[in-house]
Amino acid sequence: MQTLKTKVLIIGAGTGGYVAGIRCGQLGLETVLVDASPGLGGTCLNVGCIPSKAIIHAAGKFETVAKAAGDGTLGITASIPAIDLSKTVEWKDGVVKKLNAGVAALLKKAKVKVIKGWADFSDAKTCTVKTDDGDIRITAEHVILATGSEPVELPFLPFGGDVISSTEALSLPEVPKKLVVVGGGYIGLELGIAFRKLGAEVAIVEMAERILPLYDKALTDPVAKWLEKHGVQLLLGARAGGFGDGKLNVTDKDGNPMQLDADKVLVTVGRRARTKGWGLENMGVAMNGPFVKIDERCATSMKNVWAIGDLTGEPMLAHKGSAQGEVVAEIIAGKTRVFDPTTIAAVCFTEPEIVSAGLGPDDVKGRDDVIQAVFPFAAIGRALAIEAGEDGGFVRVIASKSDHRLLGVQAVGQHVSELSNSFAQMLEMGAVLEDVAGTIHVHPTLGEAFHEASLRALGHAIHI
């Protein structure tokens, strides 16, 4: 068996692991990165963030052309469009492969040794990696765990055949005529909406009383209106059952049994940390429920063993893992760092999109020491010019009444994902309402709604 010793060993090449690897290399740390997936980049790059946004983008293009058929839209007319999903998937795969190659090149430039294979730990600092060329025994001074997460499988709806996870949904050869989505969270809604735009009949089964329960109702109402307008069947307070002969058993909110016709059943009831199958139980690290317990330095209970990303708990967001990866690399290199962000903005790429950063209205409910102000996109010129001002979208600011410090910013509307970094930056810098109000925002842009919402919180909005 080949043996290998290294300063830093990273398990998992997702957005947390590969970023940690690159930063370790930049800092001159001898680093080995082990990953078993076909392409570097983990769930996000291969079967998550990037490919799903590619399919969502293609669905939006198809919808635009479809609107132009018949009487046309915006003075534009076109023939009735057709979709060859296999070619769309081929294009999506090309995007993924290009990014895979980019990550590989960056790791090579940073002199990180990448080993393709499955790691199995015998103790906290030693693992055996099974590769196509034989086993490799690796020992390390520091270990960074970045194993990510995986879709939750329902025991009565096991994955296989026509019951699929988001991974299979992103590589379907054709648009299903009837798609039932089990789970009304962000993954199910993003993909459900995309397939509706592509022409599928879509039904969504959600146990909660409303969609996207992690966001407040004002943010999710425009999405619910889009679903209703576009004929998506929405079953709230409902429970899915078994699937067979093209029918999904469902119990509605009143306890009545029913069946939904389905060519495919997409199960998106959440993700769980990937803690099984690689010897975590032999490493002696403390757990926090289903997640690896870490402190503000991303250190586990075992000396020189670190954990980042989805493995460490909510929020399960790619950008959180990347930021943690940088922090850990710099700590190993001797720098003083902690992972203590003011906020980690979250985006839901539905129709319309949702952004949330910092505290929301439910977090400050009943408090009389805060200011809240909302500014609608219907009063923003750029929004109207790109048909983004008629879906009930808005920007909301929440601030401290005493010193006007921003506590939270939310938005719902077309393309608002592009505002998320501005929201997070202002919160991270400790900005007050006057900072946003005093920043000259470019006209015409959607970002003007952030400016106007802040002005409104101060009592002198201009355009409303």
Side-chain angles (χ1 to χ4, degrees):
M1 180 188 296
Q2 182 182 350
T3 60
L4 190 64
K5 292 184 178 181
T6 185
K7 175 78 172 181
V8 182
L9 169 63
I10 304 171
I11 306 301
T15 49
Y18 87 72
V19 168
I22 291 170
R23 190 69 185 115
C24 283
Q26 291 173 341
L27 293 165
L29 302 172
E30 181 188 23
T31 304
V32 173
L33 175 61
V34 176
D35 188 81
S37 30
L40 297 171
T43 294
C44 177
L45 196 157
N46 291 282
V47 292
C49 314
I50 301 303
S52 67
K53 302 313 167 285
I55 295 296
I56 289 169
H57 173 71
K61 292 287 189 182
F62 183 83
E63 182 190 37
T64 298
V65 179
K67 283 182 178 179
D71 295 333
T73 180
L74 307 178
I76 303 169
T77 57
S79 301
I80 297 175
I83 178 77
D84 184 338
L85 191 59
S86 63
K87 291 185 178 179
T88 305
V89 168
E90 184 180 344
W91 164 76
K92 177 266 297 181
D93 290 343
V95 172
V96 169
K97 288 178 182 177
K98 183 176 182 180
L99 292 171
N100 289 149
V103 171
L106 291 169
L107 288 167
K108 182 177 181 180
K109 180 181 178 182
K111 298 181 180 179
V112 175
K113 181 177 179 61
V114 177
I115 297 176
K116 302 299 276 183
W118 190 265
D120 188 7
F121 280 83
S122 54
D123 60 47
K125 307 290 174 56
T126 308
C127 73
T128 299
V129 181
K130 295 187 179 298
T131 75
D132 292 340
D133 299 321
D135 293 354
I136 304 174
R137 187 172 182 268
I138 305 175
T139 58
E141 182 180 340
H142 293 267
V143 174
I144 302 176
L145 302 176
T147 56
S149 62
E150 58 195 1
V152 172
E153 185 177 48
L154 295 173
F156 51 87
L157 277 176
F159 294 131
D162 292 328
V163 178
I164 61 176
S165 71
S166 56
T167 298
E168 292 78 35
L170 293 170
S171 295
L172 290 175
E174 59 185 13
V175 178
K177 292 181 179 179
K178 294 181 183 292
L179 173 69
V180 177
V181 180
V182 178
Y186 74 95
I187 297 175
L189 282 174
E190 286 181 5
L191 293 177
I193 288 172
F195 277 104
R196 180 69 191 108
K197 289 182 177 181
L198 292 171
E201 293 181 31
V202 177
I204 297 173
V205 179
E206 167 58 43
M207 287 179 58
E209 294 302 316
R210 62 182 183 85
I211 58 171
L212 300 168
L214 295 180
Y215 296 94
D216 67 85
K217 188 173 182 299
L219 289 175
T220 62
D221 275 349
V223 179
K225 290 176 182 176
W226 189 97
L227 296 174
E228 181 180 5
K229 180 180 178 181
H230 291 82
V232 175
Q233 184 179 3
L234 191 56
L235 297 170
L236 299 175
R239 293 176 178 270
F243 174 74
D245 297 325
K247 295 183 182 297
L248 178 70
N249 293 310
V250 176
T251 303
D252 70 15
K253 63 180 180 179
D254 297 319
N256 301 315
M258 59 184 299
Q259 290 188 320
L260 297 176
D261 292 332
D263 297 304
K264 299 290 181 183
V265 176
L266 171 58
V267 179
T268 58
V269 294
R271 298 184 65 84
R272 62 184 170 208
R274 188 175 284 116
T275 58
K276 306 294 184 183
W278 49 272
L280 176 62
E281 64 277 6
N282 299 323
M283 300 186 72
V285 300
M287 301 295 289
N288 179 20
F291 305 108
V292 172
K293 185 178 182 180
I294 59 171
D295 63 14
E296 72 281 357
R297 299 165 67 241
C298 300
T300 71
S301 59
M302 178 63 68
K303 184 179 179 181
N304 291 348
V305 175
W306 316 82
I308 61 176
D310 291 359
L311 186 64
T312 65
E314 298 289 352
M316 289 187 178
L317 298 171
H319 41 290
K320 182 196 79 171
S322 296
Q324 288 177 320
E326 289 189 65
V327 166
V328 171
E330 293 184 6
I331 290 173
I332 293 173
K335 298 179 182 293
T336 301
R337 290 292 309 275
V338 295
F339 181 72
D340 185 27
T342 298
T343 187
I344 303 175
V347 177
C348 187
F349 290 86
T350 44
E351 187 66 58
E353 296 175 348
I354 298 174
V355 174
S356 184
L359 299 182
D362 293 340
D363 300 312
V364 298
K365 191 173 183 179
R367 289 176 53 175
D368 58 6
D369 61 338
V370 297
I371 307 168
Q372 295 189 50
V374 172
F375 195 88
F377 281 116
I380 295 294
R382 171 69 170 165
L384 294 176
I386 61 173
E387 299 183 285
E390 300 175 359
D391 54 14
F394 61 83
V395 172
R396 176 207 294 136
V397 296
I398 300 174
S400 168
K401 188 179 291 184
S402 60
D403 61 6
H404 294 175
R405 185 81 54 195
L406 279 176
L407 302 175
V409 191
Q410 294 83 39
V412 56
Q414 292 183 43
H415 312 298
V416 295
S417 58
E418 298 302 328
L419 303 181
S420 58
N421 295 316
S422 176
F423 296 168
Q425 182 181 45
M426 285 294 186
L427 288 165
E428 196 67 41
M429 293 176 65
V432 296
L433 291 169
E434 287 83 357
D435 291 323
V436 185
T439 300
I440 299 174
H441 285 64
V442 174
H443 175 77
T445 63
L446 297 178
E448 290 178 277
F450 186 20
H451 181 238
E452 289 278 7
S454 299
L455 288 174
R456 195 174 195 186
L458 292 168
H460 52 88
I462 301 299
H463 291 97
I464 199 169

